[in-house]
Amino acid sequence: MYRISIADFAALLLVSLVGCVAVQEEEEDSLGVALSALEFVNALNPNALNPNALNPNALNPNALNPNALSPAALSAIRDPGAAGDLSRQLLSYVVGCAFLPAQSFSFSWTDGSGTVHNEEYRGIIGLVPDWSTKPLGLMDQQWISACLASRTNWYGVSVTISSRGTPSAIDKTGTLELTTYTHLEGAFWGNLFAPSPYLNACYDEANRGHSRSLLRDCAAGHLTSGGAVQQCGMLSIRGSCAAYCQQLNTNGMYYPSCVNNLTGIPESTTRVITVFLP
């Protein structure tokens, strides 16, 4: 297992990752290219982040810029092995959550056969575009954490989702997306940058079966062959969103806030991403 300490890690979460296949990465790349400009604007986004990627041991809120990466961090994303595959996958999701489509993060790496791969990960949602030049504040840490949680997929397959919340980048008030993505899956919130990192998820009781039918199990919980419910990595499934979140905003169709992991009560400082499915 490849691991980097917090002291060595300069810009992003890239360590303690297992089990990825090239087919999934290629599928994600192809789907990202195929997304239309309208989907970018509306923050529809593909998700296939491996739950095992959500490891906070080396998270650092420094500027998300290639020039800020230490030699150890560069080594992680240039690793030609399986650890490198997942490090690059996670990096692509971090960039997708934070940056606008006009922004990108570029670097190169060499595989075991000596072939050089020039990577360019472009933004999708644009939650924190200025992370390219300055560290994350508390609210931005929560937005990036919620975004990564919401885009995690038990099966590692791409399912296009509608991400909604209070930031202008994902406020869908008055958009067509509200009428095309109508099934509430649930909500995601937390802070991977906190001294005691945490991620939470809740589900809409009426749509748990629908979510699972679309291969979205991380809010509803993955059902084993024996009927037991398993969570996605470190995501803690709290239960029904109706019990853990403030009332759904009926204009933008998102939860303004959910129960804070540390206090146990809804707080205005809790940043939540609500996900809807078609």
Side-chain angles (χ1 to χ4, degrees):
M1 184 175 290
Y2 199 98
R3 186 176 295 274
I4 301 173
S5 68
I6 294 178
D8 288 335
F9 198 82
L12 50 134
L13 172 64
L14 289 173
V15 300
S16 298
L17 311 175
V18 296
C20 179
V21 295
V23 173
Q24 293 171 359
E25 186 170 292
E26 292 171 1
E27 177 186 3
E28 175 70 7
D29 292 342
S30 300
L31 184 56
V33 171
L35 286 175
S36 69
L38 177 61
E39 288 176 327
F40 281 133
V41 170
N42 287 338
L44 292 175
N45 57 93
N47 70 97
L49 183 60
N50 191 310
N52 295 312
L54 296 173
N55 189 313
N57 290 339
L59 195 63
N60 193 297
N62 290 346
L64 185 59
N65 186 306
N67 294 327
L69 293 179
S70 70
L74 285 172
S75 178
I77 61 176
R78 289 173 174 168
D79 182 352
D85 289 338
L86 279 179
S87 293
R88 289 183 287 274
Q89 185 195 48
L90 179 59
L91 173 59
S92 72
Y93 274 89
V94 170
V95 173
C97 286
F99 286 175
L100 295 164
Q103 297 175 284
S104 64
F105 186 109
S106 301
F107 67 100
S108 62
W109 62 284
T110 304
D111 64 25
S113 66
T115 301
V116 175
H117 300 262
N118 295 311
E119 304 284 354
E120 182 182 31
Y121 301 147
R122 304 203 67 84
I124 295 177
I125 301 177
L127 287 171
V128 194
D130 58 0
W131 191 11
S132 62
T133 58
K134 67 178 185 180
L136 292 176
L138 174 61
M139 291 188 297
D140 293 335
Q141 292 174 17
Q142 293 179 343
W143 282 125
I144 296 301
S145 300
C147 182
L148 290 172
S150 69
R151 300 183 71 199
T152 302
N153 187 283
W154 175 277
Y155 300 97
V157 299
S158 293
V159 181
T160 304
I161 62 176
S162 173
S163 300
R164 305 176 187 178
T166 57
S168 58
I170 54 175
D171 184 351
K172 309 304 171 60
T173 302
T175 67
L176 182 62
E177 194 171 319
L178 295 180
T179 62
T180 54
Y181 283 71
T182 58
H183 292 87
L184 172 61
E185 176 194 16
F188 302 84
W189 69 99
N191 191 347
L192 287 167
F193 302 82
S196 298
Y198 65 96
L199 291 174
N200 293 317
C202 65
Y203 52 80
D204 183 82
E205 185 69 49
N207 290 328
R208 294 180 80 182
H210 179 75
S211 298
R212 290 180 178 129
S213 73
L214 296 181
L215 302 181
R216 284 284 295 181
D217 285 15
C218 290
H222 175 71
L223 290 179
T224 67
S225 58
V229 175
Q230 293 183 335
Q231 62 187 33
C232 294
M234 68 175 293
L235 270 75
S236 176
I237 301 174
R238 291 294 175 180
S240 170
C241 294
Y244 285 87
C245 300
Q246 293 178 341
Q247 186 174 355
L248 196 70
N249 179 298
T250 56
N251 291 322
M253 300 302 290
Y254 57 80
Y255 290 109
S257 182
C258 297
V259 171
N260 182 282
N261 186 69
L262 302 180
T263 65
I265 60 174
E267 295 183 353
S268 61
T269 55
T270 302
R271 311 302 163 181
V272 179
I273 287 185
T274 307
V275 171
F276 275 75
L277 303 172

